[in-house]
Each structure stands twice: as C-alpha cells, then as structure tokens.
Amino acid sequence: MIRVALVDDQALMRAGFRALLDAEDGIEVVGEAADGRAGLDLVRAAVPDVALIDVQMPVMTGIEATRRIAADPALAGVRVVILTNYGLDEYVFDALRAGASGFLLKDTEPADLLQAIEVVARGEALLSPAVTRTLIGEFVSRPPDRADAPGLECLTRREREVTALAARGLTNEEIAAHMVISPLTAKTHISRAMTKLGARDRAQLVVFAYESGLVTARGRAGT
C-alpha cells in the first residue's frame, strides 16, 4: 500500500486527486492540507510514502515545505512530488534543489499520475530523460550559488562518469551501453555515488552534477 499526502490550497484540486487515488487499489490517501505549514505538519504526523505538494501556497510555499521535509531525518523515506500549473517554470529547479523527487503538471493524465506515484514510491526520480534535458536547458544555465555543493573528491572516476551521464538524462541501460558495462553495474555505481553525496534519489544526483560543475549546462562533462 502506497500512502499519499495531498497538499494544495485549491479544494477542488485536492478533491479531484483524492477521488482518483481513492479509487485505485494499492494507494491510500492519508490526509489533506491547504497550505504549506499544515502540509508539513501532516507529513510529520502521517509520514506518507509520497507527498504531492503544490509549489505556490499561502503560509509556507511548497518549496520551503519540501526543504524542511528533506532536512528531517525522521522523514527520510518520504518522497515529495511538486505540483505545478506551468510545467518547467522558475520554481522547478529550486524545488529539486530543496529535495523534491520530481514534479507533475496539475493537468497530467490520471494514468500518468498513478504511474508517477508508483515510480517515486520505489525511490526513483520522476525525471524522464526528455524532462531532464529540458530542465537543463531552461534553468541550469543560470545555476545558484555553488558554495554549498559537496566536493567531487569522494567519488571514484567511474562514479563521476555515471553521475555525469545521469545528469545528461541517460537511463541506466543507456549509461551501461555508453560505458560498455552491465545495467546492474551502472545502477551500482549510481547508488554508491548517491550514498557518498547524501543524495536522496536520482534527481538530487542530477542537481549535484550541475551545482558542482561536474557537468555544464551545455552537457559537457567536467574534468
């Protein structure tokens, strides 16, 4: 059973999501909240597997609520998906930096929403290769201050290489083909890199690759 929290200031939007999710076997809605502060309280109390959080809300923004969830060790298993009306708007990259595992348009198809919840609940990032490339083109050309980005010295050469390829939007299978290794080995390298960097998921690994300078906005691997 995948436990989901809904955090959105639009009652009609919450009702629509709840109706869809309640009708699905294997998904349980554990609660709703109408602002970021109440959403944070809900997540702390219910500890869901997935929190669907609107990016713009009163009292506390979805980004700030995400940042606090990601910083709380007791909520390490909670995956946040940011909800937005505008696709790749100015908030999305900030949301990923704050600890979100991905994002969804509010008008996404029901089947895509259900699949997204399952993907994120498994600990995977809700970033398809196409979305990753678009995100790079739109936002990473203007990266935030890198002063707090962890260093690369903890990664092996292979781990740097797979991190760079993941940041370009390649899947494990594509990384394996590029490096002439097995998909399982590629996955192992990525998992080790995530562990060393303290990345919650693949989305955080992508953010690290750009903020550290390992990869540039043009997709060139760093030295």
Side-chain angles (χ1 to χ4, degrees):
M1 183 68 68
I2 301 173
R3 304 171 70 253
V4 179
L6 302 175
V7 185
D8 195 303
D9 61 334
Q10 299 179 40
L12 186 60
M13 187 63 63
R14 295 198 311 274
F17 280 133
R18 177 180 274 276
L20 173 64
L21 299 180
D22 280 345
E24 189 69 15
D25 291 338
I27 296 179
E28 175 190 5
V29 177
V30 297
E32 302 178 22
D35 63 66
R37 169 65 69 180
L40 179 60
D41 291 341
L42 169 62
V43 170
R44 285 172 171 166
V47 193
D49 301 302
V50 178
L52 300 179
I53 301 182
D54 187 16
V55 70
Q56 292 179 294
M57 289 182 293
V59 185
M60 179 186 292
T61 68
I63 292 174
E64 180 58 27
T66 298
R67 183 176 294 112
R68 298 192 186 193
I69 290 169
D72 189 340
L75 303 177
V78 178
R79 296 291 176 258
V80 174
V81 174
I82 291 291
L83 300 171
T84 173
N85 284 315
Y86 310 110
L88 291 170
D89 60 33
E90 61 185 289
Y91 301 104
V92 170
F93 187 65
D94 287 340
L96 293 175
R97 292 183 69 242
S101 293
F103 65 94
L104 284 174
L105 289 174
K106 289 187 177 181
D107 62 355
T108 191
E109 293 294 325
D112 292 337
L113 171 64
L114 295 173
Q115 182 181 26
I117 289 173
E118 292 176 358
V119 166
V120 173
R122 291 197 301 266
E124 300 175 21
L126 189 58
L127 287 173
S128 69
V131 168
T132 301
R133 295 186 192 106
T134 305
L135 182 66
I136 290 165
E138 292 291 326
F139 299 107
V140 184
S141 59
R142 308 188 305 273
D145 183 6
R146 296 175 178 173
D148 294 332
L152 297 171
E153 63 277 358
C154 65
L155 299 183
T156 66
R157 180 182 61 82
R158 282 299 222 185
E159 289 164 355
R160 291 189 191 191
E161 187 174 357
V162 297
T163 298
L165 292 172
R168 293 178 187 174
L170 274 66
T171 65
N172 287 350
E173 289 73 19
E174 291 169 336
I175 291 172
H178 181 88
M179 297 178 64
V180 195
I181 57 178
S182 71
L184 179 58
T185 300
K187 182 178 180 180
T188 298
H189 284 314
I190 288 174
S191 296
R192 288 175 178 170
M194 287 171 53
T195 298
K196 290 181 179 180
L197 298 171
R200 288 164 62 90
D201 54 31
R202 198 183 187 98
Q204 294 295 290
L205 196 63
V206 171
V207 171
F208 164 81
Y210 285 93
E211 290 196 326
S212 66
L214 179 62
V215 183
T216 71
R218 299 297 180 184
R220 297 188 302 268
T223 57

